[in-house]
Amino acid sequence: MNGFVESLKCIKCGKEYPAENKFTCDYCGDEGILDVQYDYERIKLVINSDLQKRKYNIWRYRELLPISYSAELPHLEIGWTPVYDVERLAKFIGIRKLYIKDDGRNPTNSFKDRASAIGVLKAIEFGFDKIACASTGNAASSLAGLSAAVGLQSYIFVPEHAPEPKITQLLIFGANVFRVKGSYEQAFELSKKSCERFNWYNRNSGTNPYLVEGKKTAGLEIAEYFGNDIPDWVVVSVGDGCTIGGIGKGLQEMKRLGFINRVPKLLGVQAYGAKPVYDAFFSNTDLIPTDVNTLADSIAVGTPRNWRRAVKQIRESNGTMITVTDEEILEAMRVTARLTGVFGEPAGVAGVAGLKKAINNEIIKYNESALIIITGNGLKDIRSAKEAAGKEYFIEPNLEEIIEKIKLIIKRNKI
Ligand SMILES: *Cc1c(COP(=O)(O)O)cnc(C)c1O
Ligand SMILES: [Zn+2]
């Protein structure tokens, strides 16, 4: 363990535990998500002076990660994904200044690699040679890729209806894949039981306290990249709630360490057909599990495990939440691709749809600035992409046909 880690603290009742292979609080059960606590005063003394010498990936924040200094790091490059200043998308959305951070550029093409990297190292540290998770897709493909990189065997539980490209990623990385005839929730429960029964390390980021530490690296990066010029809003799509919860934690840590003088407001975006976190946020009550119905499979979570952390981080940032329809998500997919050259999957661009709606509803003002995290690459869900994209022209090999089609193209000339 990293010597700056102090304990694991229950985010519900506050009870602290030694930072070992532990999942949830003894008193609060599954609701008692544990949060890694650090000695920030000591971290402050080392990190500022040493940072410039380090490589640009998630491991540059070693003091803020629950990983021992002797751990052998995966060779895949994770994190420090590019930030783009996207003027044409800003204009379309109606905001003065807009950035996107393309996390589809991670090794297995989603934000989840940040968490899986921590997951495989914790598995090795705790003496496991097998690791498992349940996922609608990206956590799984990411775990499969990272396991392949470090030489762990992976067991993956996916619901029946996961996009094929994501399943293909699992198989090519050599994961053992169980496609569960049922929902994500059923796949989740089965993976949990299997971990207990067969002694596999559980990478489920809802309850594993260490994985969110990987997710927070995006918050650390945004803060280091912008410093005090940090945008007013950071926009994140929300399923389980770990991503936004993690990013919020990372931003708060960087304020504490003096990298930024304020924490941006968080805008959490859920699909209209899967919005239990949104409902809990606005009703001020405990989360009520819901059915899900959205094409954004990566955020189609009816029983989020980490909703409390998400709600807490959004509140502490003075942020808010919004929902978007599948039509708005498909539009965002198309528009983001056409106005920035960045191709995101539905959940990956839900933030674009959410920001546009927040501007239209005057929740966010024109003269503010925002950064949207594009959480996953568009090739992971070709079916939705094709729905968003429109059709190609099938033609005979002659110039007359081209002339005909060009007339159509001129008429169509819109995004
Ligand atoms: C997992 C995921 C999210 C949401 O993260 P949560 O931690 O479940 O809230 C968003 N976008 C993509 C592409 C994802 O894979
Ligand atoms: Zn507790």
Side-chain angles (χ1 to χ4, degrees), residues 329-354:
I329 289 172
L330 286 179
E331 181 198 55
M333 235 176 144
R334 183 170 59 238
V335 164
T336 307
R338 293 181 188 182
L339 296 180
T340 74
V342 172
F343 180 18
E345 66 166 273
V349 298
V352 175

Side-chain angles (χ1 to χ4, degrees), residues 134-140 157-159 161-163 166-167 184 297-301:
S135 161
T136 52
N138 287 332
F157 297 75
V158 288
H161 301 289
K166 294 182 184 179
I167 306 282
Y184 171 67
D297 62 290
S298 301
I299 51 172
V301 186

Side-chain angles (χ1 to χ4, degrees), residues 189-202:
E189 285 308 322
L190 190 58
S191 76
K192 196 174 153 200
K193 280 191 201 136
S194 304
C195 284
E196 283 160 15
R197 175 77 181 269
F198 306 114
N199 197 33
W200 301 338
Y201 188 62
N202 187 340

Side-chain angles (χ1 to χ4, degrees), residues 33-36 65-66 111 114-115 118 205 208-217 241-247 249-250 306 309:
I33 303 280
L34 300 176
D35 184 48
V36 184
L65 295 173
F111 191 95
R114 297 175 181 275
I118 305 290
S205 57
N208 184 317
Y210 298 112
L211 291 163
V212 79
E213 300 300 302
K215 293 195 165 187
K216 84 181 181 191
T217 55
C242 315
T243 303
I244 197 162
I247 290 172
K249 179 175 184 183
N306 231 326
R309 188 195 286 275

Side-chain angles (χ1 to χ4, degrees), residues 15-248:
K15 179 153 175 43
E16 293 193 49
Y17 300 90
E20 290 163 0
N21 182 21
K22 185 165 182 61
F23 281 77
T24 45
C25 175
D26 295 340
Y27 301 94
C28 306
D30 274 0
E31 284 272 291
I33 303 280
L34 300 176
D35 184 48
V36 184
Q37 306 292 303
Y38 298 84
D39 181 346
Y40 294 105
E41 292 314 309
R42 275 177 51 227
I43 290 175
K44 207 169 179 172
L45 298 176
V46 243
I47 199 164
N48 282 301
S49 54
D50 197 51
L51 208 52
Q52 275 164 8
K53 293 183 233 144
R54 302 185 190 176
K55 277 183 82 175
Y56 284 95
N57 57 39
I58 61 171
W59 309 114
R60 68 194 266 106
Y61 308 110
R62 277 303 271 281
E63 290 80 3
L64 291 163
L65 295 173
I67 297 297
S68 97
Y69 278 86
S70 58
E72 195 178 325
L73 302 176
H75 54 252
L76 297 174
E77 282 290 329
I78 300 156
W80 205 263
T81 49
V83 172
Y84 304 124
D85 181 339
V86 285
E87 271 180 40
R88 283 190 296 141
L89 186 61
K91 206 168 157 205
F92 175 83
I93 286 181
I95 192 164
R96 178 182 55 83
K97 195 76 184 161
L98 178 64
Y99 302 92
I100 57 176
K101 182 170 173 68
D102 183 10
D103 254 67
R105 289 277 295 264
N106 280 302
T108 75
N109 309 98
S110 87
F111 191 95
K112 297 288 194 292
D113 288 338
R114 297 175 181 275
S116 294
I118 305 290
V120 294
L121 293 187
K122 292 314 276 186
I124 292 168
E125 179 188 324
F126 295 137
F128 292 85
D129 60 359
K130 299 183 181 69
I131 187 166
C133 82
S135 161
T136 52
N138 287 332
S141 47
S142 165
L143 180 62
L146 266 297
S147 296
V150 302
L152 284 175
Q153 250 192 60
S154 59
Y155 290 85
I156 311 275
F157 297 75
V158 288
E160 210 173 358
H161 301 289
E164 283 310 313
K166 294 182 184 179
I167 306 282
T168 310
Q169 272 188 304
L170 299 177
L171 296 170
I172 200 72
F173 288 133
N176 304 294
V177 182
F178 301 113
R179 209 157 171 170
V180 183
K181 287 185 186 146
S183 65
Y184 171 67
E185 278 63 43
Q186 288 169 308
F188 183 93
E189 285 308 322
L190 190 58
S191 76
K192 196 174 153 200
K193 280 191 201 136
S194 304
C195 284
E196 283 160 15
R197 175 77 181 269
F198 306 114
N199 197 33
W200 301 338
Y201 188 62
N202 187 340
R203 181 245 180 261
N204 286 322
S205 57
T207 50
N208 184 317
Y210 298 112
L211 291 163
V212 79
E213 300 300 302
K215 293 195 165 187
K216 84 181 181 191
T217 55
L220 305 176
E221 289 170 16
I222 293 165
E224 190 191 347
Y225 183 90
F226 286 99
N228 288 338
D229 296 325
I230 197 153
D232 300 318
W233 290 85
V234 170
V235 185
V236 186
S237 53
V238 177
D240 245 327
C242 315
T243 303
I244 197 162
I247 290 172

Side-chain angles (χ1 to χ4, degrees), residues 163 294-297 329-330 333-334 343-346 378 380-390:
T294 171
L295 59 74
D297 62 290
I329 289 172
L330 286 179
M333 235 176 144
R334 183 170 59 238
F343 180 18
E345 66 166 273
K380 283 174 171 281
D381 184 0
I382 307 168
R383 222 169 48 148
S384 295
K386 283 192 117 171
E387 214 175 302

